[in-house]
Amino acid sequence: METKRTLGRTGIDVSALGFGCWAIGGEWQSADGQPLGWGKVDDEESVRAVRRALDLGVTFFDTADTYGAGHSERVLGRALGKRRADVVVATKWGNVFDEETRTLTGADDTPEYARRALTASLRRLDTDHIDLYQLHLSDADPARAAELRDLCEEFVREGLIRAYAWSTDDPARAAVFARGEHCGAVQHMANVLQDAPEMFALCEELGLASINRSPLAMGLLTGRRRSGQALEAGDIRSRPPEWLQGFEADGADPRWLARVDALKGVLTSGGRTLGQGALAWLWARSPHAVPIPGFRSVAQAEQNAGALEKGPLTGE
């Protein structure tokens, strides 16, 4: 398969598979104690996993300033080290957090905050520029977003970023950012259980990259979840917020697991693991798709990267 994608009109090439760095941020929480991470994490293993992914041809890493309240950016920056020039780094802004207590404290959509957040992300990532800077407030006001889009164009002129995007599931909002010359993508949820036809159509029409978060449905499409299998306390899925579908307080929703079982035969075709098949479905779904599965170990990095060799599912 074609193992490269271009971020819209920007001319920036990325591997067709990116890696999402939410999980490697470790534990963090909302002000009321809701877990927002994926549980405990071993930073040394995270660093090894990032480097292994690089060796296997993954050149696109997506994080956010708020993941682990700054910790994900620090770990990614350290893992990339001297190989920073070989990769495309995406991060996000818009959420406000306390690094000391690892707590999400609010949101800020002002241009002033955007500049402060960018400066802080550059420092944590130990880099002089960010390749793709993404607004992390999915339902921000479109008029304010237009202001932030114009500010992102300033950041491009200043050499602080190369391109920008909005992380949102609303095609109308994504279209606001897409009017900017250096908008390269939209990041949105998409997986074989939760299709996003309008967003894929928008990316096709406007020539944007479709960066797919939750490509493995928060782990449901890895085949490792069982009904009634509890999750560790620091894992967001142990107390699923309203937007997180497929999980209940005592683990994976049996109805969703039944849907995964029904797809197993198709997704594991061609010697794929279930997760590799889920990624292959997204590549078959759209030539613009860049899925960004999460990872916490070298083994997960190897399994996800293994999907590249097998390529997309056939039309059939």
Side-chain angles (χ1 to χ4, degrees):
M1 84 171 220
E2 177 50 63
T3 56
K4 291 267 187 290
R5 295 280 185 275
T6 304
L7 295 180
R9 313 168 287 252
T10 64
I12 300 170
D13 284 337
V14 297
S15 50
L17 180 71
F19 269 29
C21 300
W22 180 7
I24 66 171
E27 293 183 279
W28 55 298
Q29 60 189 2
S30 65
D32 63 358
Q34 159 77 48
L36 295 172
W38 290 64
K40 289 186 172 49
V41 77
D42 173 348
D43 290 345
E44 298 313 313
E45 179 69 3
S46 299
V47 166
R48 285 191 292 270
V50 168
R51 292 176 179 167
R52 182 68 181 131
L54 273 168
D55 293 340
L56 294 169
V58 174
T59 62
F60 181 51
F61 293 87
D62 173 87
T63 186
D65 57 3
T66 194
Y67 294 163
H71 193 67
S72 175
E73 287 185 331
R74 291 181 192 284
V75 170
L76 180 60
R78 177 157 75 90
L80 295 176
K82 292 187 168 61
R83 298 174 75 177
R84 168 64 182 96
D86 303 337
V87 302
V88 173
V89 171
T91 193
K92 310 180 193 78
W93 94 94
N95 290 297
V96 184
F97 52 91
D98 182 330
E99 281 202 53
E100 288 298 302
T101 60
R102 289 194 166 212
T103 304
L104 175 71
T105 55
D108 191 333
D109 67 357
T110 62
E112 296 72 28
Y113 181 69
R115 190 172 284 276
R116 287 204 305 277
L118 175 56
T119 303
S121 283
L122 290 167
R123 188 180 66 244
R124 282 188 295 264
L125 284 160
D126 192 21
T127 186
D128 63 357
H129 72 280
I130 282 156
D131 299 291
L132 185 70
Y133 201 40
Q134 303 164 106
L135 177 59
H136 207 179
L137 304 174
S138 59
D139 53 0
D141 174 69
R144 174 48 67 85
E147 255 186 90
L148 294 172
R149 176 198 66 211
D150 296 344
L151 177 64
C152 282
E153 286 291 341
E154 271 179 49
F155 292 157
V156 172
R157 285 193 290 276
E158 292 170 33
L160 298 173
I161 70 173
R162 294 171 70 199
Y164 54 87
W166 193 344
S167 177
T168 179
D169 292 315
D170 177 8
R173 282 181 165 82
V176 170
F177 253 42
R179 290 186 199 115
E181 184 188 350
H182 293 90
C183 179
V186 56
Q187 181 168 145
H188 63 94
M189 181 157 67
N191 58 62
V192 65
L193 300 173
Q194 297 163 294
D195 195 6
E198 289 181 8
M199 205 61 103
F200 283 124
L202 182 84
C203 291
E204 186 67 44
E205 181 195 338
L206 301 179
L208 297 173
S210 158
I211 299 171
N212 310 138
R213 64 180 138 75
S214 242
L216 302 178
M218 301 289 281
L220 290 174
L221 287 162
T222 62
R224 288 196 295 273
R225 300 256 68 88
R226 296 280 169 271
S227 184
Q229 176 189 18
L231 289 134
E232 63 175 298
D235 189 320
I236 188 169
R237 297 168 297 179
S238 68
R239 276 177 58 192
E242 222 171 279
W243 57 264
L244 205 177
Q245 295 182 285
F247 288 88
E248 301 173 325
D250 58 353
D253 183 335
R255 292 164 299 183
W256 281 65
L257 290 173
R259 295 168 69 193
V260 174
D261 278 341
L263 293 166
K264 205 165 266 178
V266 175
L267 296 182
T268 56
S269 63
R272 295 176 177 88
T273 64
L274 187 65
Q276 288 170 347
L279 300 172
W281 180 84
L282 284 161
W283 289 322
R285 180 70 181 79
S286 168
H288 298 269
V290 184
I292 49 167
F295 64 100
R296 275 193 285 185
S297 66
V298 171
Q300 287 173 337
E302 289 174 342
Q303 191 165 109
N304 290 339
L308 282 166
E309 288 164 44
K310 305 222 167 42
L313 294 179
T314 62
E316 184 193 0

